[in-house]
Amino acid sequence: MSNIQLSAFQVSQNNIKMLLFITTAQMIYERFDVSRRISDKKLGYQRSFSKPRIKEIKNYIEQEQGIIPNSILVNIDEGKFSYTENENLLNLENTESLGLIIDGQHRVKGCYEADPDFPLMVVATLGLSVKDQARLFIKINKTQKGVPASLYLDLLNLLEGDIENFDEEGVTAERRATEIATRLNETDESPLYELIRRTGDAGIGISLSEFVNQAKDYVEPRTGKLANLGFEQQYKVFEIYFRSVKAVFLEQWDNPKSYILKTVGFGGLMKAFYEIFNLVMQKYQMFNTENTIKLLQLIQDFQFDKDNLPSGGGFKAQEDVGKMMVSRLKNAVREDFAVMIGD
């Protein structure tokens, strides 16, 4: 197959060379990726970006005869291009994956759906490392409409590099919480295996940003309630907690209509977490799966549904769910304790 040839002009900013060219929405959509994690392009758009925003752009092009005067930013991977400066000619490898769309994902998809031949202006960085692409993506997209926070957290490994020892000084609470979530999501035996959505999709389970926001205060190195535990112990505590929750509330856990893994239910579980941790320690002197299950069984009839939980998914509603769980547990523990007192 012959290469793709485009007229292009070279520009340099702060010693970074870029190429400027015009091509169709179809060419960008079909030959550049929107996610390094999701290989299926259609699924990548569905999971990572805003459908209403894409539809808005499509309607703007189709119904309002709109224009897109601002450029799309892509990175062309090393080895997939050549540029002849004296001819202003860009040669691209004839492949389905030339690189990554760094900025303009919604515009590309919206224009493609409206008119595949719609011309778009493109600025291309050349052969940036994955780490530099992640850094650029975050800088540009962090405040953009429709780009989920989970995408940024998922790029932390690329941006900051791998961490071998999470107990080292300088490792942030956000990074610790992100690593805990990643392990819980990727470990086959984990109760949260494939239930933490790392690209911002709206499917079953909870988002990475939701987990991190709930967990980071607990694992904050200096002030967190689990600060006296090492990182591996912190991970183990969360793993035990959710394994026990799943075991006791299994029917609700497996029911997609239950609120247990939705914002209000999960938030409530996280708000109640440390109180439950302490109750297990007080009652059994050891925090393990068996003891945590025994404690939670005292409220095994607790329902994570709209009839029992407060409405909404905000901070107040989550806090109220946590208080409801803890209050019922403490009452049940007192009753259990009273039964054990003899003459």
Side-chain angles (χ1 to χ4, degrees), residues 186-209:
E186 292 182 349
T187 304
D188 291 352
E189 297 79 18
S190 164
L192 288 170
Y193 177 62
E194 294 189 342
L195 286 174
I196 299 176
R197 308 187 307 271
R198 294 186 293 186
T199 51
D201 56 308
I204 295 172
I206 56 169
S207 71
L208 175 61
S209 61

Side-chain angles (χ1 to χ4, degrees), residues 25-43:
Q26 181 175 10
M27 187 273 188
I28 306 169
Y29 175 76
E30 290 182 350
R31 297 182 184 274
F32 286 88
D33 301 321
V34 292
S35 172
R36 290 297 191 192
R37 185 174 295 284
I38 303 172
S39 58
D40 185 297
K41 198 181 305 289
K42 186 176 180 181
L43 190 60

Side-chain angles (χ1 to χ4, degrees), residues 34-153:
V34 292
S35 172
R36 290 297 191 192
R37 185 174 295 284
I38 303 172
S39 58
D40 185 297
K41 198 181 305 289
K42 186 176 180 181
L43 190 60
Y45 269 104
Q46 288 174 346
R47 289 191 172 183
S48 302
F49 297 97
S50 168
K51 292 178 185 177
R53 177 69 177 138
I54 291 169
K55 185 178 180 182
E56 180 184 306
I57 293 170
K58 178 181 181 234
N59 292 340
Y60 168 69
I61 299 296
E62 282 184 334
Q63 300 171 16
E64 301 178 36
Q65 303 300 301
I67 63 171
I68 305 291
N70 45 339
S71 61
I72 308 300
L73 178 61
V74 304
N75 180 75
I76 306 174
D77 291 341
E78 192 69 54
K80 295 183 179 180
F81 71 93
S82 64
Y83 180 66
T84 309
E85 190 169 358
N86 61 352
E87 297 179 15
N88 294 327
L89 186 65
L90 171 62
N91 274 283
L92 295 171
E93 185 180 302
N94 197 342
T95 177
E96 291 184 358
S97 180
L98 287 167
L100 184 72
I101 302 175
I102 296 174
D103 184 44
Q105 299 89 346
H106 293 101
R107 281 171 280 148
V108 169
K109 178 64 168 166
C111 290
Y112 174 76
E113 290 189 359
D115 176 8
D117 293 324
F118 194 86
L120 290 170
M121 290 172 280
V122 180
V123 174
T125 55
L126 306 170
L128 290 183
S129 68
V130 174
K131 182 177 179 180
D132 285 339
Q133 289 179 57
R135 181 181 289 112
L136 191 56
F137 179 94
I138 288 175
K139 283 182 179 178
I140 290 172
N141 285 294
K142 194 161 189 179
T143 59
Q144 294 299 310
K145 180 181 178 182
V147 181
S150 293
L151 278 174
Y152 310 121
L153 295 169

Side-chain angles (χ1 to χ4, degrees), residues 249-256 258 260 300 302-305:
F249 302 103
L250 183 59
E251 188 175 333
Q252 297 185 73
W253 189 277
D254 290 338
N255 181 1
S258 169
I260 194 167
Q300 60 187 329
F302 188 92
Q303 293 298 307
F304 292 87
D305 58 28

Side-chain angles (χ1 to χ4, degrees), residues 289-301:
T289 305
E290 181 184 355
N291 292 339
T292 309
I293 287 174
K294 279 194 283 187
L295 184 82
L296 289 173
Q297 282 174 335
L298 296 173
I299 58 164
Q300 60 187 329
D301 60 340

Side-chain angles (χ1 to χ4, degrees), residues 110-325:
C111 290
Y112 174 76
E113 290 189 359
D115 176 8
D117 293 324
F118 194 86
L120 290 170
M121 290 172 280
V122 180
V123 174
T125 55
L126 306 170
L128 290 183
S129 68
V130 174
K131 182 177 179 180
D132 285 339
Q133 289 179 57
R135 181 181 289 112
L136 191 56
F137 179 94
I138 288 175
K139 283 182 179 178
I140 290 172
N141 285 294
K142 194 161 189 179
T143 59
Q144 294 299 310
K145 180 181 178 182
V147 181
S150 293
L151 278 174
Y152 310 121
L153 295 169
D154 195 39
L155 288 170
L156 283 175
N157 282 343
L158 298 178
L159 185 60
E160 299 176 1
D162 292 331
I163 294 175
E164 292 185 7
N165 180 9
F166 280 85
D167 288 320
E168 284 181 349
E169 191 172 345
V171 179
T172 64
E174 186 176 70
R175 190 69 194 271
R176 285 169 175 253
T178 300
E179 178 66 14
I180 289 170
T182 300
R183 291 193 193 182
L184 287 171
N185 191 61
E186 292 182 349
T187 304
D188 291 352
E189 297 79 18
S190 164
L192 288 170
Y193 177 62
E194 294 189 342
L195 286 174
I196 299 176
R197 308 187 307 271
R198 294 186 293 186
T199 51
D201 56 308
I204 295 172
I206 56 169
S207 71
L208 175 61
S209 61
E210 203 172 331
F211 185 97
V212 170
N213 286 336
Q214 295 284 356
K216 64 184 180 181
D217 287 345
Y218 290 122
V219 299
E220 214 290 326
R222 289 183 177 81
T223 60
K225 291 179 178 178
L226 299 180
N228 61 322
L229 302 178
F231 173 78
E232 296 299 332
Q233 290 176 301
Q234 292 173 348
Y235 166 76
K236 192 65 181 174
V237 164
F238 279 111
E239 196 249 345
I240 288 170
Y241 180 61
F242 284 107
R243 188 191 303 137
S244 305
V245 169
K246 179 180 179 180
V248 174
F249 302 103
L250 183 59
E251 188 175 333
Q252 297 185 73
W253 189 277
D254 290 338
N255 181 1
K257 293 182 179 180
S258 169
Y259 285 20
I260 194 167
L261 287 176
K262 299 188 187 303
T263 300
V264 65
F266 175 78
L269 285 168
M270 290 298 279
K271 300 298 182 192
F273 158 72
Y274 192 67
E275 291 270 18
I276 292 172
F277 173 80
N278 279 333
L279 283 171
V280 173
M281 293 298 292
Q282 291 166 15
K283 188 170 174 61
Y284 302 107
Q285 289 76 54
M286 178 179 288
F287 189 80
N288 59 23
T289 305
E290 181 184 355
N291 292 339
T292 309
I293 287 174
K294 279 194 283 187
L295 184 82
L296 289 173
Q297 282 174 335
L298 296 173
I299 58 164
Q300 60 187 329
D301 60 340
F302 188 92
Q303 293 298 307
F304 292 87
D305 58 28
K306 64 179 181 180
D307 295 329
N308 188 47
L309 302 187
S311 59
F315 182 83
K316 176 71 165 55
Q318 296 170 34
E319 218 171 36
D320 287 346
V321 174
K323 287 177 180 177
M324 288 167 61
M325 292 184 67

